[in-house]
Amino acid sequence: MEKQPKLKLITTQDGSHSLMREDMNETYHSFHGALGESKYVFIEMGLDWKLNQPDIEQIDVFEVGFGTGLNAYLAALFANKNRIPVCFHTVEPIPVPQDLYSQFNYGDTIEGNALLLHLHDSDWGKEVDISEYFTICKHETTLESFDLKKEFDVIFFDAFAPSKQAEVWSLDNIQKCFNLTKPGGGLTTYCAQGQFKRNLAAAGYEVETLKGAMGKKEMVRGLK
């Protein structure tokens, strides 16, 4: 696995925490608001979108980039609120250290903070029941090395920007995501880069360009 980079805790404009990866000069979330961006891009445009389709009894999610755990935390809240089982698989080659994730302010109640810590403290490489409706399996690996014979309803593509980690956004990886997507499922991401959209289309996705979140003009959802 990669060497642990230097990470700095920061506060975004909506008051929620994120991290700055100093070797890349890149943040884990939008400066405009970590919480607001994740809620819009991954919950509203991902889980809400899927739940509104007919005959949904469970939602299987694959996330590229566990990072701060914010998306998983919001997905767990979504599952509990809607009483819909969510099975959440996520990859992360460089887990955030405990001394940082213990400071995150996403959980605004004692129960919420306990949920966030439970997600981070859960064992890697095994499915863990977080609640009646939410199960997580964290894989300490890259997208390139991820190997699971499973298909997913929604893919959260939350890697660092293409300008920082172009290899993660390669056509090979997007094709891999397409192959992991169930028919009728989709991939959602904050990114609307032109080459990325062309890769989505080349992999087989139908590309939707949507209104962006938190100061960004556009975002993208790929449909299978």
Side-chain angles (χ1 to χ4, degrees):
M1 293 301 158
E2 296 181 47
K3 180 181 178 182
Q4 181 67 51
K6 187 174 182 181
L7 301 174
K8 178 182 177 182
L9 187 70
I10 63 171
T11 301
T12 61
Q13 289 180 7
D14 68 0
S16 57
H17 284 152
S18 186
L19 293 173
M20 167 70 77
R21 183 167 162 176
E22 296 188 331
D23 63 314
M24 296 170 57
N25 192 32
E26 177 75 338
T27 60
Y28 278 58
H29 306 95
S30 169
F31 275 118
H32 296 285
L35 189 60
E37 179 186 49
S38 288
K39 281 182 176 179
Y40 178 75
V41 174
F42 300 108
I43 306 306
E44 293 181 33
M45 297 297 110
L47 296 184
D48 278 334
W49 164 77
K50 189 63 188 178
L51 187 61
N52 286 329
Q53 296 179 13
D55 304 320
I56 300 300
E57 297 181 353
Q58 175 173 313
I59 301 177
D60 294 313
V61 178
F62 174 56
E63 177 188 46
V64 180
F66 178 70
T68 66
L70 176 55
N71 296 335
Y73 171 70
L74 293 175
L77 294 181
F78 171 92
N80 295 339
K81 176 183 176 181
N82 291 282
R83 297 179 179 272
I84 179 79
V86 173
C87 182
F88 194 99
H89 284 259
T90 180
V91 293
E92 176 57 61
I94 310 177
V96 172
Q98 193 271 343
D99 65 320
L100 283 175
Y101 71 67
S102 63
Q103 299 181 60
F104 294 153
N105 65 356
Y106 307 137
D108 58 0
T109 64
I110 294 175
E111 293 81 7
N113 191 55
L115 171 60
L116 181 66
L117 291 176
H118 193 182
L119 292 166
H120 277 281
D121 292 338
S122 62
D123 291 338
W124 291 80
K126 60 184 287 188
E127 289 195 3
V128 178
D129 292 329
I130 300 297
S131 71
E132 180 181 356
Y133 295 100
F134 192 80
T135 300
I136 192 169
C137 187
K138 302 184 300 183
H139 305 265
E140 192 174 348
T141 188
T142 61
L143 173 57
E144 291 86 345
S145 299
F146 178 69
D147 184 22
L148 187 69
K149 306 306 181 199
K150 183 177 176 67
E151 291 184 324
F152 299 91
D153 298 292
V154 181
I155 293 182
F156 292 179
F157 206 94
D158 200 18
F160 290 120
S163 61
K164 303 294 183 177
Q165 282 190 327
E167 68 280 2
V168 182
W169 301 79
S170 69
L171 177 56
D172 285 347
N173 275 342
I174 304 308
Q175 187 68 63
K176 186 171 191 174
C177 287
F178 181 81
N179 295 339
L180 288 168
T181 306
K182 294 180 186 179
L187 176 152
T188 184
T189 183
Y190 64 88
C191 180
Q193 184 208 52
Q195 184 59 54
F196 170 62
K197 290 194 281 188
R198 290 188 288 273
N199 285 347
L200 283 173
Y205 284 109
E206 176 186 339
V207 180
E208 280 189 311
T209 301
L210 307 170
K211 179 183 176 182
M214 310 298 291
K216 294 184 178 179
K217 184 178 179 181
E218 295 176 340
M219 61 160 284
V220 164
R221 187 166 58 204
L223 310 177
K224 181 172 180 178

